[in-house]
DNA sequence: CGTGTGGTTGAAACGTATCAAACGTGGTGG
DNA sequence: CCACCACGTTTGATACGTTTCAACCACACG
């Protein structure tokens, strides 16, 4: 992986613009001054921790990342899964409000927050893009509030499966990239409830499972369960 | 109330800049081109409904507004209470993702979304302010996810009381501006549980009540309950 | 072929929801 | 001015869904 120096797990960005940078190196399409540096994390490796200084913004190239918050007694709430193409931790503020960890071996692009902020203060277009991304993150979070506050376990799991399916291409058949624990901590349930709910959905013919990870959704039936 | 024409409940903004506009008419300090128009809503009146075209951004001057989402069977999740000074519905997008209603008689300033977007595309500073506001809304929503997904009823109510206290001046004694139903729908509980939890907290000496609305918090004890 | 990790299943406990009734307070009309 | 009504709140008894604790299973890995 070029353009990268690693020093005790922390990415050190080379600031010179590499010649012939590929388009996917950019933060946004049409913003060539913001070049990311590739970086990799192993399965379960921490990308950053809550409270740490927020120096970078991340864009997932391959693999997946989860961001979460924890209470002192260990209760955990996952606030998002970040799949290829997603940007995360582009909020403002000095320190990280989450911990981020790689679900599987993951490649990301890191962008200096400084550079992004400088670009935003100079270019209204960049700033508007950032506004838009924060706004869509907010919409997503508000939808998830409704799920956490008001939906039953079956509804949560069914919603989750349809969401992952959509983000993974919408074929209806895919491998869950996360463990039961991650799903539970995302949905505000326990692993046992997630597991039981999956078997229940399978018995109702709303999905089929092959092994623990692969699922084939009967989307019409799942939609009936969610039934906005 | 000057500079206002009402037509079937919808505010119609006068686009001429009024001479001698007061500073609190502005969306941000130091952005004189964005002038708001005052408007009022009665208790329980709808400000806008989910799915409607999003034409305005709102800033609360007095009173309070709640924004919520509903499922088809009536289950409701309040995503935020908006008190004097707060801006809301400044996200991007064509249509409203929430319904907004006045908790009590409420005065707001409305700003044309068009004008704000135009200002944002022209001024990086404006766009950065909007980015910042969306980002802080996102942080707030993520904290609330942790509450809804992982905290018990007592913790939710205690957190809520401390939050309202902080936003109402932090004196420890205040009148709750919303009903038990609103509190319940904000915290993902039922009104009965909210009520029982309040009596429980009172019995534990964590607060005192006068009537249904006024509370005096023993903040040290409440903090022990929350105990991040 | 054992060992570890993640997943499933079962039984019982727990916390919150549900249903129902009583209470209190503020507003209205006699 | 007081009686009455309506609405929001509190309290009680019971039901239900999810969690907890425990055992078991399946698969990957050394």
């Amino acid at each position: 992986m070029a353009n990268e120096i690693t020093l005790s797990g922390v990415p050190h960005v080379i600031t010179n613009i590499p010649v012939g940078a590929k388009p996917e190196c950019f933060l946004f399409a049409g913003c060539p001054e913001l070049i990311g540096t590739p970086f990799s994390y192993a399965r379960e490796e921490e990308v950053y921790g809550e409270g740490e200084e927020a120096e970078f913004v991340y864009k997932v190239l391959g693999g997946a990342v989860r961001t979460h918050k924890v209470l002192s007694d260990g209760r955990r709430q996952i606030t998002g899964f970040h799949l290829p193409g997603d940007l995360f931790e582009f909020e403002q503020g000095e320190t990280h409000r989450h911990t981020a960890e790689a679900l599987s071996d993951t490649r990301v692009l890191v962008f200096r927050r400084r550079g992004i902020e400088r670009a935003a203060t100079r270019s209204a277009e960049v700033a508007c893009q950032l506004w838009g991304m924060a706004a869509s993150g907010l919409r997503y979070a508000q939808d998830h509030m409704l799920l956490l506050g008001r939906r039953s376990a079956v509804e949560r799991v069914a919603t989750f499966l349809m969401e992952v399916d959509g983000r993974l291409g919408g074929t209806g058949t895919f491998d869950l990239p996360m463990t039961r624990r991650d799903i539970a901590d995302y949905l505000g349930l326990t692993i046992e409830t997630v597991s039981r709910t999956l078997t229940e959905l399978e018995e109702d013919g709303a999905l089929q499972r092959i092994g623990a990870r692969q699922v084939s959704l009967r989307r019409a039936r799942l939609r009936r369960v969610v039934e906005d």
Side-chain angles (χ1 to χ4, degrees), chain A:
Chain A
M1 197 154 293
N3 307 322
E4 182 184 320
I5 305 169
T6 81
L7 184 61
S8 69
V10 176
H12 279 250
V13 178
I14 292 179
T15 42
N16 312 357
I17 296 176
V19 283
K22 301 210 203 83
E24 66 269 24
C25 288
F26 302 140
L27 184 59
F28 322 119
C31 184
E33 72 271 33
L34 294 172
I35 304 276
T37 301
F39 201 78
S40 297
Y41 296 93
R43 191 174 117 71
E44 293 296 301
E45 192 181 344
E46 181 175 301
V47 177
Y48 54 80
E50 190 176 348
E52 288 177 19
E53 194 203 345
E55 198 180 351
F56 299 107
V57 166
Y58 303 82
K59 183 177 186 175
V60 181
L61 294 179
V65 173
R66 62 171 181 255
T67 47
H68 74 251
K69 292 177 156 282
V70 253
L71 298 175
S72 48
D73 61 1
R75 282 175 290 176
R76 186 176 74 145
Q77 179 64 43
I78 291 181
T79 50
F81 295 111
H82 308 281
L83 304 179
D86 294 350
L87 252 76
F88 63 96
E89 211 63 11
F90 49 84
E91 305 142 48
Q92 294 182 326
E94 298 295 294
T95 56
H96 287 295
R97 260 90 183 174
H98 294 96
T99 303
E101 291 151 346
L103 287 181
S104 52
D105 292 350
T106 296
R107 290 173 311 113
V108 301
L109 242 31
V110 306
F111 299 83
R112 291 212 107 86
R113 206 169 265 260
R114 270 285 152 66
I116 291 174
E117 276 162 13
R118 220 181 317 114
T121 58
R122 280 203 295 250
S123 155
E125 201 192 325
V126 171
C128 281
Q129 294 252 30
L130 291 162
W131 172 29
M133 295 192 311
S136 77
L138 181 53
R139 253 174 285 143
Y140 182 87
Q142 286 166 337
D143 287 342
H144 205 59
M145 278 192 211
L146 175 60
L147 180 140
L148 292 171
R150 288 299 179 214
R151 307 207 81 140
S152 69
V154 226
E155 291 174 325
R156 292 184 203 200
V157 173
T159 306
F160 173 73
L161 291 170
M162 309 225 342
E163 186 202 327
V164 176
D165 177 44
R167 292 176 66 186
L168 253 39
T171 61
T173 301
F174 56 93
D175 274 50
L176 289 163
M178 66 288 285
T179 64
R180 297 290 185 267
R181 166 134 302 290
D182 287 334
I183 298 173
D185 285 349
Y186 178 67
L187 297 178
L189 301 168
T190 59
I191 50 179
E192 294 94 332
T193 300
V194 171
S195 181
R196 276 187 252 271
T197 305
L198 284 170
T199 37
E200 186 191 326
L201 285 169
E202 189 165 30
E203 283 164 358
D204 295 355
L207 57 85
Q208 271 180 276
R209 283 183 289 179
I210 301 170
R213 292 297 185 93
Q214 190 181 329
V215 291
S216 282
L217 310 183
R218 295 277 157 284
R219 280 174 281 179
R221 299 213 186 180
L222 279 178
R223 222 169 287 125
R224 275 219 324 267
V225 172
V226 175
E227 192 75 276
D228 190 45

